[in-house]
Amino acid sequence: MDGLDALRAKVMDAISGASDEAALEDVRVSTVGKKGEVSLKMREMGKMSPEERQEAGPALNALKNEVNSALAAKKEALADAALNERLQSEWLDVTLPARTRPMGTIHPISQVWEEVTAIFADLGFSVAEGPQIETDWYNFDALNIPGHHPARAEMDTFYMKRAEGDNRPPNVLRTHTSPVQIRSMEALGAPLRIICPGRVYRADYDQTHTPMFHQIEGLAIDKDISMANLKWVLEEFFSIFFGIEGIKTRFRASHFPFTEPSAEVDVQCSWVDGQLRIGEGDGWMEILGSGMVHPKVLQAANVDPYEYQGFAFGMGIDRIAMLKYGIPDLRAFFDSDLRWLRHYGFAALDQPAIHAGLSRT
Ligand code: PHE
């Protein structure tokens, strides 16, 4: 049959020149498609003599097969090329180091909160919590501070407003963590060993006072607890917290309505070139208030004062954070100044734990 070689050459050229699958499809339609050149040639066989047909038939079939397999091979090659191109353009180098971002830090208050909790947990104290909005019963009366008591006036309390016509005494923003003593004794009874870290509120503002600050309350109730236990626990705590073996404390007689006897506790310190050093020298730094829980307080919380007694203490978390980490101004704690936080903050993944050391930055 005439012209088959020319047709083969033309079709093969068109196939190898097709630049994508759409162009290849056009080539297919125009060659082996219904009205394609190869198909038309096959149709011509109808008009041939049997001899001619015998010659042209196998030749045309061979051409058709050849074209079909060339189309299939090209189609595969085009698909591979398309995939390669996509892989190239969507390539991602996972070996690149992560972009560095400024990392957040742990606020010194959170850090010290965790440190104190870790130390007292080790001494067998569990953590208790209470609400920041308190009734005046829990914040005052149950702690042996009746309505006429001067301590109420001294505390610079924030009172909450009652609705019109509601004559109950106003709720307060708790002025100390001591109400958690009452709540814990009510809920858990005696014996009991708890600490309560938390936010407290007083209307006061200067370099060492902010209207919101943090306290940690300690309470141990049992049948034979004395001031000696209190002193041991506090000295143990200060030694671990400040990282100074055998730190000395001084108990000064004081007065709190909810403890009897009461003591303010100082730790040993010195001032060298205007720098405070805890745990050495012959100066004293006042740190906390403490005492033996007043029988009336036990009674208010349904603990029998003839059977049980115990000690309690309360200290400022912010204050001991300032002392430990040399932070001069309390107000900066709450300014959210990023430069300050980067300077005084702690690495985010460094959880305080006694066994791991407490003061890493
Ligand atoms: N609640 C006292 C205060 O806020 C501290 C304190 C707690 C004193 C427990 C003695 C016992 O000042």
Side-chain angles (χ1 to χ4, degrees), residues 176 178 181 202 215 217 256 258-259 289-290 312-314:
H176 48 179
S178 300
Q181 288 186 28
R202 288 180 204 177
Q215 277 191 340
E217 191 85 6
F256 300 103
F258 30 89
T259 45
S290 66
F313 59 87

Side-chain angles (χ1 to χ4, degrees), residues 7 79 121 271:
L7 180 57
W271 292 91

Side-chain angles (χ1 to χ4, degrees), residues 88-156:
Q88 283 291 324
S89 67
E90 292 175 11
W91 183 74
L92 180 69
D93 184 356
V94 290
T95 65
L96 277 179
R99 225 173 297 148
T100 55
R101 279 183 296 167
M103 237 230 276
T105 56
I106 300 294
H107 195 286
I109 304 258
S110 307
Q111 180 79 10
V112 167
W113 180 311
E114 293 295 327
E115 288 179 6
V116 175
T117 306
I119 296 170
F120 279 106
D122 204 49
L123 294 172
F125 287 73
S126 52
V127 174
E129 280 181 319
Q132 293 174 44
I133 296 175
E134 265 300 6
T135 63
D136 73 335
W137 161 260
Y138 281 111
N139 196 78
F140 295 125
D141 297 80
L143 289 162
N144 195 31
I145 315 174
H148 54 79
H149 198 285
R152 285 214 184 194
E154 276 164 25
M155 282 250 194
D156 302 312

Side-chain angles (χ1 to χ4, degrees), residues 15-209:
I15 291 174
S16 67
S19 58
D20 56 27
E21 291 193 45
L24 189 65
E25 178 63 7
D26 288 344
V27 176
R28 189 190 68 79
V29 170
S30 66
T31 53
V32 293
K34 255 191 202 154
K35 292 178 181 161
E37 287 183 84
V38 177
S39 312
L40 289 178
K41 284 245 183 259
M42 291 187 109
R43 237 176 269 172
E44 282 173 25
M45 284 199 299
K47 297 176 216 150
M48 290 178 183
S49 66
E51 295 78 35
E52 282 174 319
R53 204 179 297 145
Q54 228 168 32
E55 189 201 328
L60 275 171
N61 264 331
L63 175 60
K64 189 180 160 193
N65 288 341
E66 217 177 307
V67 170
N68 274 332
S69 45
L71 283 168
K74 180 70 180 180
K75 189 167 180 177
E76 204 171 306
L78 283 174
D80 282 354
L83 179 63
N84 274 339
E85 195 176 321
R86 208 173 133 206
L87 288 175
Q88 283 291 324
S89 67
E90 292 175 11
W91 183 74
L92 180 69
D93 184 356
V94 290
T95 65
L96 277 179
R99 225 173 297 148
T100 55
R101 279 183 296 167
M103 237 230 276
T105 56
I106 300 294
H107 195 286
I109 304 258
S110 307
Q111 180 79 10
V112 167
W113 180 311
E114 293 295 327
E115 288 179 6
V116 175
T117 306
I119 296 170
F120 279 106
D122 204 49
L123 294 172
F125 287 73
S126 52
V127 174
E129 280 181 319
Q132 293 174 44
I133 296 175
E134 265 300 6
T135 63
D136 73 335
W137 161 260
Y138 281 111
N139 196 78
F140 295 125
D141 297 80
L143 289 162
N144 195 31
I145 315 174
H148 54 79
H149 198 285
R152 285 214 184 194
E154 276 164 25
M155 282 250 194
D156 302 312
T157 311
F158 287 112
Y159 289 93
M160 314 283 291
K161 234 186 167 137
R162 284 271 184 212
E164 196 85 29
D166 187 339
N167 292 324
R168 288 174 299 167
N171 283 336
V172 300
L173 292 180
R174 69 177 176 196
T175 56
H176 48 179
T177 42
S178 300
V180 185
Q181 288 186 28
I182 308 293
R183 290 182 176 275
S184 302
M185 285 190 278
E186 275 179 350
L188 304 166
L192 185 65
R193 244 187 293 177
I194 51 141
I195 51 155
C196 164
R199 295 183 168 196
V200 299
Y201 302 84
R202 288 180 204 177
D204 207 351
Y205 189 70
D206 61 32
Q207 200 183 352
T208 50
H209 296 90

